[in-house]
Amino acid sequence: SRSVTRVDGIMCARHEMVHEMISRLNCGEHLSEVKMPGCLIGKTGIAEVTNAIKTNPHVRYVDLSSNGVNEYGATQISQFLRVTNSLRSLSLDDNSIKTAGAEELSKAVERNSNLHILHLSCNRIEDAGCRRIAYALRNNNSIHSLYLDNNNAGDEFGKEMGVTLTMNCTLRFLDLSDNDIRATGAMALAKALQSNSVMTSLNISRNNIANEGATEIARMLLTNTSLQQLRMSWNTINDGGAHELAKVLSENNTLRLFDIADNRVSSVGATALAKALQANHSIAALYLSGNGIAGPGAQEMAAALHVNKSLQELYLAWNCIVEHGAKALADALCENTTLTTLDVGANGIGKEGASHIARALTQNTTLKVLHLHGNVLKEEGPKQIAKALQMNKVLEFLDLDGNEIGANNIKELAESVKANCSLQTLKLARNKINDIGAWELAEALKVNRSLTKLDLTRNNVEESGAAGLSECLVINNSLRELHLSYNKIKDSGAVQIAQAIVVNTTLHTLRLADNEIPETGAIKVAESLERNSTIHTL
C-alpha cells in the first residue's frame, strides 16, 4: 500500500504542475518555455493545455513528450499549430500519435511558417505517417530540425524523403535512427543529398542499410558540400562498405563528425579508414567503437594520429585492441597535439596497456577526456595511471569504471587526486573499493579543489565509507556531483550524509538509489534536503 500511496502522490504532484502551468499561461504571464514532459496529461487534458498555450503569445518552446496524448492529442495540437505565429520548437516524443496523428500534424505543418524544430521520436507513426510528414515538408519553409527516430519508417519513406530533400531548402538536421530503412531507402536519401546544399546533419543509425546503402552514401559524399555530421552506426556495414567510405573521406573536406560504430568493420576496414584520415583535414570526431578492428586496426589508427592534424575525438571502445593497440596509441599520443578525447574502454588492454597509456599522460599536453572503463587493469594498471596523474596538468575526465581496482589499490589513486589540479570528473563505478577506498578518496577530497564529479556506484560502500564521505562534504567546496547508488549504505550512513548536506552549499547532484537505507534514514535525508538550497537531483 505504501508503493500505491507513493504513485498516487507522484500523479497528484504532476497534475498540480500542469494546472499551475495552465493558470500561468491563461494569466498572460511572459513564458517563453512550457516544459511538461511526463506529466500524465493524456487525451483528457491536452485540449485544456493547447488552449492555454494558444492564448499566450510569448510561448516559443513547448515540450509535451511522454504524456500519452495519442491521436486525439495530435489533432488538438495541430489545430493550435495552424494559428500560432510564435512557436519555434515543439516536442511530442513518445506520445503514440500513430499514423492518424501524423496525418493531422502534417496538415498543420503545411500551413505553419514559424516552427523551426519538431520532435516526433518514438510515436508509432509507421511508414505511412512518416511519408505524409515528408510530403508536408515540401510545402514548409521554416522547419530546420526534424526528429523521426524510432517510428518504424521503411524504404518507401526513404524514397519519399529523398524526393523531399530535392525540393526542401530549409531542413538542416534530420534524425532517422532506429527505423527500418534498408539499402533501397538509404540509396534514395543519398542520391537526393548529392545535390542538396543545406543539410548539415544526418542520423541514419540502426537501420540495416548494409554495404549497398553505405556505398551510395559514399558516392554522395563526393559531391555534397554541406553535410558536417553523418551517423550510421548499427547498420551491418562490413569492410566492403568501410572501404568505399574511406575512398571518399580522403577527398571530402566538409564532414566533421563520422560515426560508423557498432558495425562489422575489422582491421582491414580500419586500415582503409586510417589511411583516409592521413589525407583528411576536416573530420574532428570519429566513432569506431563496437567493431572488430583489434590490435592491427588500432595500430593503423595510431599511425594516422602521427600525421592527422584535425581529429579531436576518437572512440575505439569494444574493439579488442589489447596491449599492442594501446601501446601504438600511446606512442602516438606522445607526439599528437590535437586529440582531446580518447575512448579505449573494454578493450582488454590490461596492466601492460595501462602502463603505456600512463607514459603518454606524462608527455601529452592536449588530451582532456580519457575512457579506460572495463579493461581489467586490476592492481598495477591503476597505480601507473595514478603516478601519471601527479604529473599531468591537462586531463579533465577519467573513466576507470569496472576495472577490478579493489580496496587495497586505491590509495595511490587517492594520493594523485590530492596532487592533481586539472581533473574534474573521476568515474570509479564497479571497482570493489568498499569503505577503505571511500575513506581514501574522502581524505583526498578534503584537499582537492578541482574535482566536480565523483562516481562510486556499485562499490560495496557501507556505513564507514559513507561517514568518511560525509566528513569531506562538510569541508569540500568544489564537488558538484556524488554518485553512491547501488552500495550498502544503511541508516547511520544516511543520517551522516543528511547532516553533511545541511552544511554543504556546492553539491547539486546526490545519487543514493538502491542502497539499504531504511525509512528513518530516508526521512533524515528528506528533512536535510528541505534545508539545502543547492541539491536539485537525487
Side-chain angles (χ1 to χ4, degrees), residues 511-527:
R511 301 286 189 183
L512 291 171
D514 291 282
N515 276 281
E516 300 174 10
I517 302 172
E519 187 173 357
T520 52
I523 290 172
K524 287 293 184 182
V525 172
E527 291 173 348

Side-chain angles (χ1 to χ4, degrees), residues 373-422:
H373 56 88
N375 269 301
V376 199
L377 304 185
K378 293 189 175 180
E379 301 176 7
E380 292 304 315
K383 290 179 181 179
Q384 295 290 336
I385 298 294
K387 290 178 182 177
L389 283 180
Q390 297 202 25
M391 300 174 61
N392 185 282
K393 305 298 181 186
V394 293
L395 196 68
E396 298 176 358
F397 179 106
L398 177 60
D399 180 1
L400 290 172
D401 286 354
N403 271 298
E404 300 181 25
I405 295 174
N408 297 326
N409 302 304
I410 202 72
K411 184 176 178 62
E412 287 82 0
L413 197 57
E415 289 298 319
S416 71
V417 170
K418 287 182 183 179
N420 184 281
C421 59
S422 64

Side-chain angles (χ1 to χ4, degrees), residues 152-433:
N152 203 29
D155 280 339
E156 293 304 313
F157 160 74
K159 295 176 186 177
E160 198 74 36
M161 181 57 80
V163 174
T164 295
L165 291 178
T166 63
M167 302 168 64
N168 182 287
C169 59
T170 55
L171 196 63
R172 300 196 298 269
F173 180 99
L174 182 59
D175 187 349
L176 302 178
S177 60
D178 284 285
N179 280 293
D180 193 32
I181 302 168
R182 298 175 181 259
T184 303
M187 291 168 66
L189 290 167
K191 287 177 180 177
L193 287 174
Q194 287 180 0
S195 56
N196 181 290
S197 60
V198 291
M199 181 74 67
T200 60
S201 179
L202 174 64
N203 188 346
I204 196 169
S205 298
R206 294 181 181 270
N207 271 289
N208 199 22
I209 69 171
N211 282 355
E212 192 176 2
T215 298
E216 198 62 44
I217 287 175
R219 293 195 186 103
M220 174 269 293
L221 290 174
L222 279 173
T223 56
N224 181 282
T225 58
S226 64
L227 200 64
Q228 298 176 21
Q229 297 187 356
L230 176 59
R231 296 184 181 274
M232 47 199 303
S233 61
W234 293 96
N235 268 300
T236 64
I237 300 167
N238 62 27
D239 290 335
H243 182 73
E244 293 300 319
L245 288 161
K247 285 195 296 187
V248 299
L249 287 179
S250 60
E251 300 180 33
N252 181 285
N253 60 7
T254 56
L255 203 64
R256 291 187 52 77
L257 182 151
F258 181 50
D259 180 1
I260 193 172
D262 296 293
N263 279 287
R264 299 173 182 176
V265 181
S266 74
S267 59
V268 176
T271 297
L273 290 168
K275 293 189 183 305
L277 277 182
Q278 294 188 28
N280 182 281
H281 302 293
S282 65
I283 293 179
L286 175 61
Y287 293 75
L288 260 174
S289 296
N291 281 285
I293 73 170
Q299 290 172 327
E300 293 294 337
M301 283 289 157
L305 289 179
H306 285 284
V307 179
N308 182 283
K309 302 300 180 186
S310 65
L311 197 65
Q312 299 171 22
E313 301 177 32
L314 179 59
Y315 299 87
L316 297 175
W318 296 97
N319 267 300
C320 198
I321 70 171
V322 297
E323 177 198 349
H324 305 299
K327 180 183 183 302
L329 290 166
D331 291 342
L333 285 176
C334 291
E335 296 181 11
N336 183 282
T337 58
T338 54
L339 202 69
T340 60
T341 298
L342 176 63
D343 184 354
V344 287
N347 268 300
I349 69 171
K351 63 181 181 180
E352 295 85 0
S355 68
H356 294 305
I357 298 293
R359 168 173 54 83
L361 288 178
T362 63
Q363 300 180 48
N364 182 279
T365 59
T366 56
L367 195 69
K368 294 183 178 180
V369 177
L370 177 60
H371 295 268
L372 290 172
H373 56 88
N375 269 301
V376 199
L377 304 185
K378 293 189 175 180
E379 301 176 7
E380 292 304 315
K383 290 179 181 179
Q384 295 290 336
I385 298 294
K387 290 178 182 177
L389 283 180
Q390 297 202 25
M391 300 174 61
N392 185 282
K393 305 298 181 186
V394 293
L395 196 68
E396 298 176 358
F397 179 106
L398 177 60
D399 180 1
L400 290 172
D401 286 354
N403 271 298
E404 300 181 25
I405 295 174
N408 297 326
N409 302 304
I410 202 72
K411 184 176 178 62
E412 287 82 0
L413 197 57
E415 289 298 319
S416 71
V417 170
K418 287 182 183 179
N420 184 281
C421 59
S422 64
L423 199 64
Q424 298 173 21
T425 296
L426 178 59
K427 291 172 61 61
L428 288 169
R430 299 176 289 111
N431 271 300
K432 302 177 183 178
I433 69 169

